[in-house]
Every structure is written in C-alpha cells, then in structure tokens.
C-alpha cells in the first residue's frame, strides 16, 4: 500500500538529474538547470511519439538542431542569442517529454503554463531574455513548422499534400535529408551547437 500523502509527507515534485541537480518542477530554478542534462534528455525523447521510420527515433535534440538551422537560413544575420533561443525552443521537453500538439490541446492551459515556467528558467540560466519578442517567436515558430513538414513527410508517413495542409509549404530553406541519429550522436551534436552559439 503506497504511503499516505500528508503535509508531513507531500508528494515529490522534483526530478533528480544525472548531473546531480534536483529540479523543482513546480518552481524551477535556473541554478538547477545544466545544458548536459538538457542535451541528454532531448536526445532520448522521440518526436512523433516514436512513430518514425529508421533504426533510431528522431529525437527532439535533432529537431532543435534543425529548427536552429532554419532560423539561420531564414534570417542569415540573426544574432547568436536568437539562434540559441531557437536551439532551446523545446528544451523544456527534457523534463516533460514531447507531447504531440493534439494532446497538449486536450490537456489545456495549465500544461502550457507549466511548460512556459520551465522555459523561462532555461532562458535565464543561459543568459537569454525570459521571453522572446513576438517577432522572434514568429520566426522560430515558422522554422518549427518547416521542420515539422520535413519530419512528417520524410519520416512520419505523411504525404506531401497532407504535410502542406498541416504545416504549410516550406519556403526559404534548403530541404534536408533526414536520418534519425543514435541518441549519443544527437546529444553530442546538440552540445556542440550550443557551445558554438554560446562562445
């Protein structure tokens, strides 16, 4: 029988990270966030609930790398801080996982508020403004949709017309050839890009 919850025995609301950090999920502190934990987690979280072709899952880490690349292609003179924000746009998923958009809609606004609170802590930890400007949000969202289109049509079984219907026709970027990477490779590539953008 599980222990009874009481004021003296509240439910655990923190997660121990491999770095040794203990992240409070209800009140995340930037001081408890490490890029190595983010990279490790994102490289092991599957996009599309794992419903992609290939020997490996297409990870959120790979998706973030693709979105950052597209932001750079769409705005070649973008500041490194914007490119870093693009790389970290789904960083909260190292804790909460990658819920598909229909499920987020079903869960409602409380989930989004939780995700945003964690995203703000991540931004502060790495020297970014807590909130992106509306213009930057729009650019990252555009790059995110372009990435989703290519992932959907190359890996997740969507047809071209279906991909365009849900994500729009991709414009202004070089089409990638996507191959899901082993998690350790995705982790290293994510960390390498982070370090280049942070220097």
């Amino acid at each position: 029988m599980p222990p009874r919850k009481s004021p003296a025995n509240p439910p655990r609301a923190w997660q121990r990270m491999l770095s040794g950090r203990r992240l409070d999920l209800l009140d995340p502190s930037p001081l408890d966030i490490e890029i190595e934990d983010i990279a490790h987690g994102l490289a092991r979280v599957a996009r599309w609930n794992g419903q992609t072709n290939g020997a490996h899952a297409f990870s959120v880490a790979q998706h973030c790398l693709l979105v950052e690349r597209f932001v750079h292609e769409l705005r070649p003179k973008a500041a490194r801080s914007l490119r870093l924000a693009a790389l970290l746009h789904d960083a909260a998923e190292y804790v909460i996982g990658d819920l598909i958009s229909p499920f987020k809609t079903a869960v409602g606004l409380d989930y989004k508020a939780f995700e945003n609170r964690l995203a703000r802590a991540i931004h502060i930890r790495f020297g970014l403004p807590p909130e992106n400007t509306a213009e930057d949000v729009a650019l990252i969202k555009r790059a995110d949709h372009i990435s989703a289109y290519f992932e959907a049509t190359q890996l997740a079984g969507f047809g071209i017309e279906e991909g365009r219907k849900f994500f729009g026709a991709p414009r202004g970027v070089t089409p990638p050839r996507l191959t899901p990477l082993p998690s350790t490779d995705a982790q290293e590539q994510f960390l390498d890009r982070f370090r280049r953008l942070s220097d």
Side-chain angles (χ1 to χ4, degrees):
M1 185 168 149
R4 289 171 47 197
K5 304 295 187 256
S6 69
N9 186 23
R12 180 170 66 91
W14 53 266
Q15 180 177 346
R16 175 79 64 195
M17 301 297 168
L18 288 178
S19 65
R21 296 288 187 185
R22 192 170 92 167
L23 183 67
D24 184 336
L25 303 182
L26 300 179
D27 186 21
S29 168
L31 298 175
D32 291 324
I33 294 169
E34 300 292 346
I35 194 60
E36 291 79 11
D37 292 330
I38 291 173
H40 182 93
L42 295 185
R44 289 158 179 80
V45 175
R47 290 273 291 168
W48 307 95
N49 278 346
Q51 298 300 307
T52 51
N53 295 315
H56 306 281
F58 189 80
S59 70
V60 174
Q62 262 191 279
H63 166 74
C64 289
L65 287 162
L66 193 57
V67 170
E68 185 274 327
R69 171 188 150 182
F70 288 154
V71 163
H72 182 54
E73 289 186 19
L74 292 167
R75 193 186 293 173
K77 295 183 179 179
R80 282 189 176 194
S81 58
L82 173 56
R83 292 176 61 189
L84 182 59
L87 182 70
L88 296 172
H89 80 282
D90 278 341
E93 294 178 6
Y94 89 107
V95 173
I96 59 179
D98 182 28
L99 299 182
I100 59 174
S101 295
F103 188 75
K104 288 181 182 179
T105 301
V107 170
L109 293 177
D110 286 348
Y111 171 86
K112 197 65 183 170
F114 171 74
E115 184 178 31
N116 288 340
R117 193 162 48 245
L118 183 53
R120 281 192 295 274
I122 291 167
H123 271 220
I124 292 167
R125 170 64 177 86
F126 300 114
L128 296 170
E131 308 280 348
N132 292 317
T133 66
E135 181 183 8
D136 290 346
V137 167
L139 178 63
I140 293 170
K141 182 56 70 178
R142 180 180 171 198
D144 192 38
H145 284 173
I146 292 171
S147 179
Y149 169 85
F150 286 117
E151 293 169 31
T153 56
Q154 292 185 27
L155 300 173
F158 285 61
I160 298 297
E161 289 307 313
E162 191 178 23
R164 287 177 178 164
K165 174 183 174 184
F166 288 110
F167 309 109
R171 293 186 177 89
V173 301
T174 304
R177 295 187 64 178
L178 301 179
T179 302
L181 296 173
S183 59
T184 52
D185 292 353
Q187 179 176 344
E188 283 307 312
Q189 287 187 22
F190 184 93
L191 282 171
D192 180 66
R193 187 74 54 84
F194 174 85
R195 289 171 184 138
R196 289 172 186 270
L197 293 173
S198 300
D199 286 344

